[in-house]
Amino acid sequence: MISTLNDSVATLNGIGPKKQLVLNSLGIKTIADLLNYFPFRYDNFKAQSLADLPAQAQVTLRGVVLDSPNLFRYGYKKTRLTFTMRVENAAVRVTFFNQPWLKKQITPNQPLVVYGRFDHQQLSMAGMRIISNTTNKMDPIYSVNKQIRQATLRKLIQETYEQYHDQIAEIIPESLRKRYRLESHQQVVHDMHFPKTLADSKRALRTAKFEEFFIFQMRMQLLRIRDHQFAGVQINYDHAAVAAFIAGLPFQLTNAQQRVVNEILANLGDDSQMNRLLQGDVGSGKTIVAAIAIYATITSGYQAALMVPTEILAEQHANGLAKIFADVPVSIALLTGDTKPAVRKEILPRIESGELNLLIGTHALIQDEVAFHNLGLAIIDEQHRFGVNQRGALRKKGDSPNVLTMTATPIPRTMTLTAYGEMDVSVINELPAGRKPVVTRWIQENQLSNVLPFILQRLTQRDQMYVIAPLIEDSDQSEMQSAEATFEMFKRSFPGFQVGLLHGRMKDAEKNAIMTAFKNQEIQILVSTTVIEVGVDVPNASLMMIFNADHFGLAQLHQLRGRVGRGQKQSYCILVANPKTEVGKKRMNVMVETNDGFVVAQKDLELRGAGDVMGRQQSGQIQFKIGDPVADLVMLSYAQQEARGIINDPHWTEKTENLPLVKYLNDESLNDSLD
Ligand code: ADP
Ligand code: MG
């Protein structure tokens, strides 16, 4: 009896329980899994021309044997078989190690095809085997383990293919196959396993990657529409009040802000739950967008919450939003780990009663004792600083509240398309008018004295400066610059100016006092560790110097740099670094060359490589078998676009119900991918 592709491999002839386990260990459970277990490379046994051989590669050469082979024995059971072969017009010395039996197969004047490692300089080849059948053969090489041999797996796949290829069903709808010149899935399976030429295998690989991305994106889009189907809080906001609020702002929204505000308001106003990621480069003005969403929510009688990762930021937002909401009826409370018990005791019941309609704070917001009256909108700023559980905990403070997550750490396209694939994404891709890009320079440590006059000149013009050092205090464990030593150094070098010190080991009250002094221009030079990294907004600061810049990630450097360039003045960022590696130097140059956080993020991912462990972690542990979400970014984004198009089409299930994909997508694994 013939099985279907979704049946277990155990139903195949010759697969007993033992073999089944071996196949399972390779991730092969069903017959379809087996057919889609593609080789990771091919050995090319098509004879190649001497002229276009890749250096030091395994190659196949066709020639004529010139002399009788010599067999040498040496060491313990070691042999060396040598002869000369004419290939085109060259004499190539061929050596086979430890295969004495080949001697019988080699006679002068005999045509011969040999596979092995070729050395251009010596015109010699370390032979690996003699090829008897050379008709354009590409041998698939599979990833196997100790329990199964290459040849066994190859044979199994071949037999299975012969028996089952008729059942291989299509994955990609025909219209898309035409648009992207993709092959049928049957052709892909055939050519991935048994290509006649390299070109065959390349073409098949291209479609196979698209298939993999497309299935993934269909899954993500299904999650997305499923989220949308959950009834969420519908915010019937007061259109006139919101319009008046926007008109009353001290500046005009940029086009990008306006567009994003519209996207968010539309989401709030419908009855589905919003799950939106707002990305905007540092200084692009996300806060005001959040404020508009908060205000809209409050006009409809619902509460809003804003959660941020640090006390400094919570304080800053509470002050800033109090100003923004000065003329409208919004009552704000601030709740952090620092909030005095008495104050806290007074706030909590007023949140629960709904008297307070905006709660701003740190992780303190998600403690058990915090209960809302009716949370309609939860905003999480700098979302990457929170874990999935913390984000989820805020969400659970309401009954399906709308959720807006914000990030100023630009997320590379690769990751928005993978790790965040099920979210709606809004991007503010424009800075408020009049901003000048930060000029970034990279200097070596011994060039420091060259830039001091420049710094002095800027300080004399009342500019303010941040100086960043990676460590708090000097350490015998590290050669890196400490904030304390830097603080002393700047005090000595710039005696006429006020220098402040800020680091994470200081008490919050102390930190806040220093930040306030810096804001009020009582301190001109602020030496700090990376505690000032996120969100801090002091527009008069226009100069930044970062020590041991190569020690930081590019995203972090970009965040730090974002503290300057916030006012009308030209700002400067000086990176001090002596990177030891080529990649380290390239990373510094990325910072010098671009101010665009999205470019920084994508370059960062490229430099680290898709295979990099960190990259894997950051991309949400999504592992593709054949597609590379960094290198194949363009294809990945087309796959998403098409998956969205199909799913947004009200007839998509009918149009695609014959695709095995739909069944595949409806299985329980869909639930596993929900957090
Ligand atoms: P971020 O996106 O980094 O959180 P902020 O919201 O802190 O940026 O905004 C940075 C600065 O730009 C703030 O001082 C803010 O008042 C100002 N700003 C925001 N939007 C505009 C705009 N449309 N025009 C002028 N200034 C703006
Ligand atoms: Mg911000």
Side-chain angles (χ1 to χ4, degrees):
M1 196 195 84
I2 194 152
S3 314
T4 74
L5 295 189
N6 289 321
D7 286 332
S8 162
V9 281
T11 61
L12 291 171
N13 286 338
I15 304 290
K18 231 166 127 191
K19 266 231 176 99
Q20 184 189 358
L21 280 181
V22 172
L23 289 173
N24 288 355
S25 74
L26 295 176
I28 302 171
K29 298 206 172 80
T30 63
I31 298 175
D33 291 341
L34 181 64
L35 291 174
N36 287 293
Y37 195 78
F38 295 141
F40 63 91
R41 71 175 170 87
Y42 304 89
D43 276 346
N44 186 353
F45 294 139
K46 185 181 177 210
Q48 289 152 286
S49 155
L50 275 187
D52 49 38
L53 291 181
Q56 286 299 324
Q58 321 271 41
V59 299
T60 304
L61 294 182
R62 179 196 299 271
V64 175
V65 179
L66 291 178
D67 53 9
S68 301
N70 279 316
L71 183 65
F72 303 94
R73 293 186 185 276
Y74 64 103
Y76 177 70
K77 281 195 175 172
K78 289 192 175 151
T79 68
R80 191 170 70 226
L81 181 70
T82 59
F83 62 96
T84 314
M85 185 168 94
R86 194 185 70 224
V87 179
E88 293 158 31
N89 284 320
V92 175
R93 193 88 193 131
V94 184
T95 309
F96 279 99
F97 291 99
N98 306 323
Q99 300 185 60
W101 58 88
L102 290 178
K103 187 166 194 249
K104 276 184 280 179
Q105 299 180 29
I106 297 162
T107 48
N109 294 323
Q110 168 204 356
L112 191 70
V113 180
V114 176
Y115 176 78
R117 182 175 285 277
F118 182 67
D119 181 339
H120 290 251
Q121 253 113 50
Q122 314 272 336
L123 279 184
S124 71
M125 177 184 238
M128 289 159 77
R129 56 166 144 171
I130 290 177
I131 314 290
S132 43
N133 170 10
T134 67
T135 48
N136 283 349
K137 199 156 156 38
M138 302 259 296
D139 263 15
I141 307 294
Y142 299 94
S143 137
V144 289
N145 55 28
K146 288 209 176 88
Q147 298 149 53
I148 185 163
R149 281 171 359 121
Q150 195 65 242
T152 314
L153 184 61
R154 198 179 290 166
K155 186 155 166 271
L156 180 62
I157 289 176
Q158 181 129 27
E159 288 168 1
T160 309
Y161 178 80
E162 274 156 24
Q163 202 178 350
Y164 289 94
H165 68 267
D166 284 345
Q167 287 192 49
I168 295 174
E170 206 39 75
I171 290 180
I172 310 278
E174 200 187 335
S175 58
L176 293 189
R177 282 210 319 271
K178 280 211 180 104
R179 184 170 320 151
Y180 296 101
R181 290 172 291 110
L182 302 171
E183 305 188 309
S184 71
H185 189 50
Q186 238 185 59
Q187 186 78 39
V188 168
V189 173
H190 178 274
D191 285 357
M192 284 299 287
H193 293 296
F194 325 111
K196 285 217 175 56
T197 63
L198 198 62
D200 282 352
S201 70
K202 283 202 175 137
R203 233 179 304 115
L205 184 63
R206 177 172 172 273
T207 300
K209 281 181 176 177
F210 193 96
E211 288 171 348
E212 185 176 34
F213 286 153
F214 185 71
I215 288 172
F216 171 78
Q217 290 295 353
M218 286 293 282
R219 242 167 218 260
M220 283 296 183
Q221 298 312 315
L222 277 182
L223 282 178
R224 193 175 66 87
I225 57 169
R226 195 162 82 170
D227 279 355
H228 280 224
Q229 283 158 358
F230 288 144
V233 174
Q234 183 165 8
I235 306 291
N236 290 312
Y237 61 89
D238 182 337
H239 287 251
V242 172
F245 176 70
I246 294 175
L249 293 174
F251 44 72
Q252 241 193 317
L253 296 182
T254 61
N255 290 333
Q257 283 171 320
Q258 186 66 60
R259 170 172 46 76
V260 166
V261 163
N262 290 343
E263 287 167 0
I264 294 171
L265 290 181
N267 238 184
L268 290 177
D270 67 28
D271 58 1
S272 66
Q273 186 178 15
M274 175 164 81
N275 183 16
R276 185 172 286 277
L277 174 67
L278 172 58
Q279 294 194 70
D281 212 338
V282 278
S284 63
K286 291 181 295 299
T287 311
I288 197 66
V289 170
I292 294 167
I294 289 169
Y295 181 59
T297 302
I298 291 172
T299 65
S300 77
Y302 280 97
Q303 290 174 300
L306 171 60
M307 183 163 78
V308 300
T310 65
E311 311 261 345
I312 291 182
L313 208 49
E315 191 102 5
Q316 182 181 291
H317 272 317
N319 293 334
L321 288 172
K323 278 193 205 122
I324 291 173
F325 292 137
D327 301 330
V328 290
V330 172
S331 47
I332 307 180
L334 174 67
L335 185 68
T336 71
D338 250 15
T339 305
K340 300 231 159 54
V343 177
R344 190 184 150 85
K345 216 170 145 198
E346 188 253 339
I347 293 174
L348 289 180
R350 295 170 63 211
I351 299 168
E352 189 155 9
S353 72
E355 181 195 336
L356 290 173
N357 40 31
L358 171 58
L359 184 60
I360 299 172
T362 54
H363 307 82
L365 296 198
I366 53 179
Q367 289 162 341
D368 285 344
E369 306 86 81
V370 181
F372 287 84
H373 175 61
N374 60 358
L375 184 63
L377 172 66
I379 302 183
I380 301 163
D381 196 9
E382 309 298 343
Q383 58 88 27
H384 60 285
R385 291 294 200 91
F386 294 98
V388 173
N389 293 339
Q390 292 171 322
R391 282 179 261 166
L394 185 60
R395 192 185 287 242
K396 289 198 185 89
K397 291 283 176 193
D399 184 11
S400 308
N402 295 286
V403 179
L404 180 66
T405 50
M406 308 203 290
T407 181
T409 302
I411 300 174
R413 283 280 291 150
T414 288
M415 279 169 60
T416 35
L417 290 170
T418 54
Y420 299 95
E422 89 282 14
M423 292 174 118
D424 288 312
V425 178
S426 290
V427 180
I428 307 182
N429 54 357
E430 178 188 0
L431 295 179
R435 293 278 174 78
K436 298 188 180 72
V438 179
V439 172
T440 303
R441 291 277 178 270
W442 165 34
I443 63 168
Q444 305 273 325
E445 277 156 27
N446 61 11
Q447 296 171 308
L448 206 54
S449 52
N450 300 355
V451 295
L452 295 183
F454 171 73
I455 295 175
L456 181 63
Q457 182 213 335
R458 305 294 309 189
L459 292 173
T460 310
Q461 292 169 13
R462 306 275 329 131
D463 283 358
Q464 286 175 282
M465 175 180 197
Y466 294 100
V467 183
I468 312 295
L471 301 182
I472 295 180
E473 56 190 30
D474 279 342
S475 141
D476 347 325
Q477 320 285 322
S478 168
E479 289 184 356
M480 282 188 296
Q481 191 87 10
S482 76
E484 281 178 354
T486 311
F487 173 63
E488 295 303 328
M489 180 177 99
F490 272 77
K491 273 205 297 201
R492 271 197 315 274
S493 306
F494 301 102
F497 302 93
Q498 285 303 313
V499 187
L501 175 65
L502 188 75
H503 60 69
R505 224 182 281 153
M506 291 161 60
K507 293 230 168 60
D508 286 308
E510 234 180 314
K511 279 194 266 183
N512 284 334
I514 298 278
M515 275 317 297
T516 309
F518 189 61
K519 258 195 176 146
N520 296 338
Q521 308 193 19
E522 290 150 21
I523 289 176
Q524 242 188 307
I525 304 173
L526 181 61
V527 178
S528 171
T529 56
T530 56
V531 284
I532 59 120
E533 179 194 341
V534 280
V536 170
D537 187 30
V538 180
N540 189 54
S542 65
L543 203 52
M544 172 170 279
M545 181 173 247
I546 305 176
F547 284 96
N548 301 109
D550 53 329
H551 164 81
F552 298 104
L554 287 190
Q556 201 178 9
L557 285 177
H558 184 71
Q559 270 286 334
L560 287 167
R561 177 169 64 181
R563 297 313 109 212
V564 296
R566 299 184 149 244
Q568 299 295 322
K569 283 184 288 192
Q570 177 62 57
S571 292
Y572 299 87
C573 177
I574 302 166
L575 307 172
V576 187
N578 293 8
K580 294 188 180 60
T581 63
E582 276 313 303
V583 170
K585 289 173 194 163
K586 282 203 183 117
R587 293 170 72 246
M588 292 303 105
N589 283 325
V590 168
M591 293 304 296
V592 171
E593 281 157 19
T594 182
N595 257 290
D596 183 330
F598 292 95
V599 176
V600 170
Q602 187 70 29
K603 286 261 189 252
D604 190 21
L605 204 58
E606 283 168 19
L607 285 177
R608 283 193 272 122
D612 179 271
V613 182
M614 270 294 284
R616 280 269 156 77
Q617 270 169 9
Q618 293 199 357
S619 60
Q621 249 106 21
I622 290 157
Q623 304 227 7
F624 292 96
K625 282 199 205 123
I626 35 184
D628 175 338
V630 175
D632 307 318
L633 176 65
V634 174
M635 185 186 273
L636 179 64
S637 82
Y638 276 118
Q640 184 191 54
Q641 191 181 313
E642 297 300 347
R644 267 193 186 223
I646 287 178
I647 287 198
N648 288 336
D649 182 335
H651 304 298
W652 79 273
T653 39
E654 290 152 45
K655 283 204 307 194
T656 54
E657 71 189 343
N658 294 326
L659 301 180
L661 176 62
V662 175
K663 180 184 176 308
Y664 180 47
L665 288 170
N666 283 332
D667 69 18
E668 81 281 359
S669 62
L670 194 57
N671 294 315
D672 297 344
S673 35
L674 277 171
D675 64 46

